[in-house]
Amino acid sequence: MLNYLIFWVDGLFLYSGQVIALPRFFFGLFLFTCLSGYSQTNIYFEVGSDQVDAKGKEAIKKLVANFSGKEIAFTVKGYTDTTGIAVHNFTLARKREKAVVNLLTSYGLQQELIGFSCTNNISNNEISNAENRRVSITVHEMASYLAKNGSIILAPKDIKLKVIDHFYQPDLISNWYKNKKCRSPMPKGEWRYADVEIQSKEDSCRFILVKIPKMQTGLPLLFTGRVNYGNINWKSYADNFSSNSDFGWYRIPIYSDYIALNQYVLCGYNPSVFLHIAVPNVIRPLKASLVSECITIPAGCEKDTVTLNYSSYAPIDWSALNLKIKTRDTVFQVPMSEFEVVSKINYSDGLYILRHRGNWQGFFKPKEDIPEKRRTFWQRVLDLFR
C-alpha cells in the first residue's frame, strides 16, 4: 500500500508514489519508494566496482539527514549482475554493502542501527544487469513495545512480535527446606523477565533494539531459538552501545522466532551437600528425611543406605538435625550428631559417607502391640551393633 508522501532531493519529486519530475542525470542513481512502514533506496554501481560515486554519496548523506533523530533501522543488501563467477559475485556484493555502510556511519548513523550481510540477497533475473548492480538501503520505521520490567523493545513495524512478561517472586535462602510455620516473610515480587516472540519469518539482516534500565545489573543474558535452559550453547551476550549512565541499548539480531531477555539462568551445577547414610540392611526403611522443628529435607532409600542432598546456599547444619526413618512397624529418629563421617569426597560442596558410631540401642522403639516374635527380631538387630 503506497502512502502519500512529498519528497524532494536533487530534482526528484515524488507525490503519492508517482514521479512528477525526474532529471535525466538522476536516472539510475537511486530509486526511492515509500511503502507502508518502510522506505527503500537503491544505490547503483559500475560493472565490477564497489566504489560509490559522488552522486551516490550525496544521496546517502541526504538519506541519513532526512531520518536523523527518528526511530528507524536500516537494512543494507548488496547485489551483483547475473554474469561472472558466483563466488566473485558474492564477495563483490559484500564489498558494496561495506562501502555503503561505511558512508552511512561516516554521515553520523550508528552502525548498531544497520543490518547487512544478509542471506537472501540473490540477483533478480527479471531486471537488467544494470539494475542488479546495486545496494538496496531499506529504512524501517520502528514500533515501540514496553515490557513490564521497564525494558523498551524497538522493532521494525513490519515485524510481527509479541512481548511476554514474567513475574518474579524472590525467595529467601533462609526459607529453603523450612516448614511453613518457620518461614520468614517473602520479599516483594517484581516483573523481571520479558520474552519476545517473533511471529513473522525474518532473515539474518533483521534485528530489534532493546533499551534496558541500568538498575537491572548483569543484563541482558540472551537466548536465540526456543529457550532451552539445559543447553548453554544457545546463550549469547549483547554489547551495550549507549553512553548514557541511566540505561543500556542493545542490538539483538533475529536469528530465530524466539528471544528471551533478562533471564537469570544457573548454568552448570548448583553447589550441594550430599549425604549417604549407612543403616542396617535389615531395617528396610520405607521413608526417610532429615528433620528438626523447622526443617524437613526428604531423603531416598536404597537398601541399606539413605541418600539426600540439599543446596549449600541454604544455611543448614546437617549434624544438628535428626534422621527420621519410617519402617513398616514404627517411626524413629536418630540424632545426626551420633553419626561419624567415614569418608568425604571432594564433589561439589562435599559427599559424605556416614555411619552410626557406637550403639543403636534406644533408638529403635517398636510398638507395644508387636508380637513377641517380632520383638525378638528387633533384639537381634540391636545385638548387631553392640
Side-chain angles (χ1 to χ4, degrees):
M1 177 179 178
L2 292 175
N3 290 334
Y4 285 93
L5 176 72
I6 298 176
F7 186 84
W8 177 266
V9 54
D10 275 2
L12 177 63
F13 184 71
L14 297 179
Y15 177 73
S16 186
Q18 297 181 344
V19 177
I20 305 301
L22 183 61
R24 183 184 301 273
F25 72 85
F26 201 82
F27 182 79
L29 173 61
F30 75 88
L31 173 67
F32 181 89
T33 60
C34 181
L35 303 176
S36 179
Y38 69 91
S39 62
Q40 184 169 295
T41 299
N42 289 331
I43 304 296
Y44 293 97
F45 292 80
E46 296 295 331
V47 177
S49 173
D50 61 353
Q51 299 299 312
V52 181
D53 60 22
K55 293 179 181 179
K57 292 177 181 179
E58 184 64 21
I60 294 173
K61 183 177 181 180
K62 290 186 177 182
L63 184 66
V64 174
N66 285 332
F67 291 100
S68 178
K70 298 180 181 179
E71 292 185 344
I72 48 86
F74 286 66
T75 298
V76 175
K77 296 183 180 181
Y79 300 84
T80 65
D81 56 33
T82 57
T83 64
I85 302 173
V87 174
H88 171 75
N89 287 343
F90 179 84
T91 303
L92 181 58
R94 298 285 85 80
K95 289 181 178 179
R96 288 172 176 172
E97 284 179 354
K98 189 63 176 177
V100 171
V101 170
N102 288 341
L103 285 171
L104 288 169
T105 56
S106 69
Y107 293 138
L109 185 67
Q110 286 183 292
Q111 185 161 336
E112 289 79 10
L113 299 178
I114 307 171
F116 62 102
S117 294
C118 311
T119 56
N120 63 344
N121 46 347
I122 300 173
S123 298
N124 189 348
N125 288 321
E126 296 180 0
I127 61 178
S128 68
N129 282 332
E131 292 174 300
N132 266 325
R133 293 191 297 269
R134 72 191 189 280
V135 167
S136 173
I137 307 174
T138 305
V139 183
H140 302 274
E141 188 178 356
M142 305 290 273
S144 178
Y145 303 83
L146 178 63
K148 290 184 178 180
N149 65 357
S151 299
I152 298 174
I153 296 97
L154 293 178
K157 281 189 173 181
D158 57 318
I159 291 181
K160 295 181 181 180
L161 62 80
K162 179 181 179 181
V163 178
I164 305 171
D165 296 290
H166 300 281
F167 189 79
Y168 172 72
Q169 176 62 63
D171 192 1
L172 291 177
I173 294 178
S174 60
N175 280 343
W176 292 4
Y177 313 105
K178 281 188 177 180
N179 304 328
K180 289 185 178 180
K181 65 178 181 179
C182 299
R183 292 175 186 169
S184 304
M186 298 289 287
K188 185 178 179 180
E190 60 182 347
W191 292 96
R192 180 173 293 182
Y193 308 136
D195 294 352
V196 179
E197 182 179 353
I198 308 300
Q199 299 177 325
S200 55
K201 188 175 181 180
E202 303 299 334
D203 62 43
S204 62
C205 251
R206 306 283 262 169
F207 59 88
I208 62 176
L209 299 173
V210 182
K211 181 180 179 180
I212 300 179
K214 281 290 183 66
M215 66 184 69
Q216 301 184 31
T217 58
L219 303 178
L221 176 61
L222 309 171
F223 288 80
T224 56
R226 288 292 174 183
V227 181
N228 180 357
Y229 298 111
N231 184 357
I232 63 174
N233 293 327
W234 286 104
K235 185 178 65 177
S236 63
Y237 291 89
D239 294 326
N240 175 23
F241 64 86
S242 171
S243 58
N244 192 302
S245 59
D246 296 327
F247 60 84
W249 268 113
Y250 301 90
R251 179 183 187 273
I252 315 301
I254 302 175
Y255 295 123
S256 187
D257 59 348
Y258 203 93
I259 298 174
L261 305 175
N262 311 352
Q263 296 286 353
Y264 286 116
V265 179
L266 292 176
C267 299
Y269 63 88
N270 182 5
S272 300
V273 175
F274 296 83
L275 300 179
H276 287 199
I277 306 169
V279 297
N281 57 9
V282 292
I283 292 180
R284 300 189 181 280
L286 300 178
K287 289 184 179 180
S289 57
L290 283 189
V291 299
S292 68
E293 182 180 359
C294 282
I295 294 174
T296 299
I297 306 176
C301 303
E302 300 177 5
K303 295 183 179 180
D304 60 347
T305 305
V306 173
T307 62
L308 61 92
N309 68 85
Y310 60 88
S311 172
S312 62
Y313 295 141
I316 293 176
D317 178 12
W318 60 262
S319 63
L321 302 178
N322 294 325
L323 174 63
K324 183 177 181 180
I325 296 180
K326 179 181 180 180
T327 68
R328 188 177 64 175
D329 300 312
T330 188
V331 176
F332 58 88
Q333 295 190 36
V334 183
M336 289 299 295
S337 59
E338 296 294 329
F339 284 80
E340 62 181 349
V341 178
V342 176
S343 64
K344 178 182 178 181
I345 302 173
N346 292 326
Y347 175 74
S348 186
D349 273 17
L351 171 59
Y352 297 84
I353 310 298
L354 304 108
R355 70 181 176 195
H356 187 266
R357 59 171 175 261
N359 198 324
W360 283 69
Q361 189 172 3
F363 301 125
F364 292 82
K365 299 179 179 178
K367 294 181 180 179
E368 294 298 327
D369 59 350
I370 294 178
E372 188 63 30
K373 183 178 181 180
R374 178 66 67 181
R375 289 178 181 275
T376 304
F377 168 78
W378 279 108
Q379 188 62 49
R380 291 204 308 269
V381 172
L382 296 178
D383 289 341
L384 295 174
F385 295 92
R386 289 179 177 175

